[in-house]
Amino acid sequence: MEFRISPASGLPIYQQLVEQVRSGVARGKLAADEKLPSVRELSQSLVINPNTVARAYTELERDGVLYTRPGMGVFVAAKSAPLTKKVRRERLLPLVDQLLVEAVEMGCSLAELSKLISERSTVFEWNGTSEPSNASGGKRK
Amino acid sequence: MEFRISPASGLPIYQQLVEQVRSGVARGKLAADEKLPSVRELSQSLVINPNTVARAYTELERDGVLYTRPGMGVFVAAKSAPLTKKVRRERLLPLVDQLLVEAVEMGCSLAELSKLISERSTVFEWNGTSEPSNASGGKRK
DNA sequence: CAACTGTACTAATACTAATAGGACAGTCGG
DNA sequence: CCGACTGTCCTATTAGTATTAGTACAGTTG
């Protein structure tokens, strides 16, 4: 998987990397136990400091997205046991509300928003009890 | 409307204020042409610097959420003309994707996410061509 | 005119992002 | 065992931002 950073993003570089890894895992572009580029390798190809890459990896490992095999590299962690429904709700609510605020603010209808969500949802790797109506989001490798 | 700031939030104070105003407007807790507390008044009640409040107000005015009547105060702006569907899509996509990534990451199903969204959507003031199924989100004042 | 409104400006402090360079411990292939 | 790789840790430095502080100005109200 390719990584890109854009100075115009406004977000810190290490955070851009974190988001790209998270997104890649959720989209199935990064498979479990797949090896990520080494800290030094990625820092050279992106022309940034190794410490910046290391910070991103460290944060992702803390959150259970990656794991480290000392001396070998960092790898994509297998999907951990799903959290409680209550915990999921608590963590998703702020994001949901933020999305709804923005949608309402710009005069979007609820139907339009729902359509947008179901559109984008087809690309992700859902593992719950219900799948997206469209199954076009299969693993590519 | 009451404003609160939490030092533990991690977000800058001015940004917390911006979010609360946006949220209040989208939820109908702040009506059009309603007057907001003055810069000095709010800064005293929250025990923060007037400049911090002024920064939040300035940013909100730049985005068309508030307007200023010189010498009188800042007020909630009326809903502006809705943007193009294309523009709405472009601005909402990043948030939608971020939400989907988080949901997938914690093992949430699409059905569970949809339910959560429709649950929260009842509190907002939609003005599109389609309303939420539940009408409990009426204006209170 | 007096008291309020938002705005503008400068200065100082504190924290964070990012870079730089160096050092350490674990693991592999020879 | 040895060299080359892996991630991690440490200190120092630079740059940018958030926040506070105090002052000043222009417009509006009564």
Side-chain angles (χ1 to χ4, degrees):
Chain A
M1 179 178 162
E2 301 172 358
F3 293 93
R4 281 169 242 165
I5 57 171
S6 75
S9 151
L11 289 175
I13 298 177
Y14 80 95
Q15 208 167 325
Q16 295 184 38
L17 294 178
V18 166
E19 282 183 13
Q20 283 178 50
V21 172
R22 298 191 109 107
S23 172
V25 172
R27 292 184 151 95
K29 293 183 182 177
L30 289 174
D33 298 317
E34 183 174 337
K35 184 179 179 304
L36 291 176
S38 81
V39 166
R40 292 170 177 83
E41 185 183 341
L42 188 53
S43 72
Q44 284 176 19
S45 70
L46 294 179
V47 198
I48 58 179
N49 194 280
N51 292 330
T52 305
V53 180
R55 176 165 182 181
Y57 283 178
T58 302
E59 186 163 321
L60 285 163
E61 186 178 13
R62 178 178 55 78
D63 291 356
V65 180
L66 303 180
Y67 67 91
T68 299
R69 294 225 307 248
M72 305 229 28
V74 296
F75 301 81
V76 177
K79 282 173 188 168
S80 55
L83 300 167
T84 322
K85 196 167 184 176
K86 184 187 168 195
V87 176
R88 288 203 294 265
R89 182 191 169 85
E90 282 171 1
R91 295 208 196 166
L92 287 178
L93 270 188
L95 260 178
V96 170
D97 283 357
Q98 188 188 347
L99 176 62
L100 292 176
V101 167
E102 293 238 6
V104 168
E105 199 173 64
M106 53 177 51
C108 186
S109 76
L110 180 54
E112 185 180 339
L113 179 60
S114 300
K115 190 181 167 190
L116 198 56
I117 292 175
S118 76
E119 225 182 276
R120 304 294 287 184
S121 67
T122 59
V123 192
F124 290 84
E125 303 278 325
W126 303 88
N127 60 349
T129 55
S130 123
E131 286 78 31
S133 49
N134 182 340
S136 73
K139 297 183 170 60
R140 324 159 187 58
K141 162 69 197 289
Chain B
M1 180 176 163
E2 301 172 358
F3 293 93
R4 281 171 242 164
I5 57 171
S6 74
S9 150
L11 289 176
I13 297 177
Y14 80 95
Q15 208 167 326
Q16 294 184 38
L17 294 178
V18 166
E19 282 183 14
Q20 284 179 50
V21 172
R22 297 192 110 106
S23 172
V25 172
R27 291 183 152 96
K29 292 182 180 177
L30 289 173
D33 298 318
E34 184 175 337
K35 184 180 179 302
L36 291 177
S38 81
V39 167
R40 291 170 179 81
E41 186 183 342
L42 188 53
S43 71
Q44 283 176 19
S45 70
L46 294 179
V47 198
I48 58 178
N49 195 279
N51 291 330
T52 305
V53 180
R55 177 165 182 182
Y57 283 178
T58 303
E59 187 164 320
L60 285 163
E61 186 178 12
R62 179 178 54 79
D63 291 356
V65 179
L66 304 179
Y67 67 91
T68 299
R69 294 225 307 249
M72 306 227 29
V74 296
F75 300 82
V76 178
K79 284 172 186 166
S80 55
L83 301 167
T84 321
K85 197 166 185 176
K86 184 186 168 196
V87 176
R88 288 203 295 265
R89 181 190 171 87
E90 282 171 1
R91 294 207 196 167
L92 288 178
L93 269 188
L95 261 178
V96 169
D97 283 358
Q98 188 187 348
L99 176 63
L100 292 176
V101 167
E102 294 239 5
V104 168
E105 198 173 66
M106 52 177 50
C108 187
S109 75
L110 181 55
E112 186 181 338
L113 179 60
S114 301
K115 191 181 167 191
L116 198 56
I117 292 175
S118 75
E119 226 182 275
R120 303 295 288 184
S121 67
T122 59
V123 193
F124 291 85
E125 304 277 328
W126 302 88
N127 60 351
T129 54
S130 123
E131 286 80 29
S133 48
N134 182 340
S136 73
K139 297 182 170 63
R140 336 156 182 59
K141 169 43 193 310

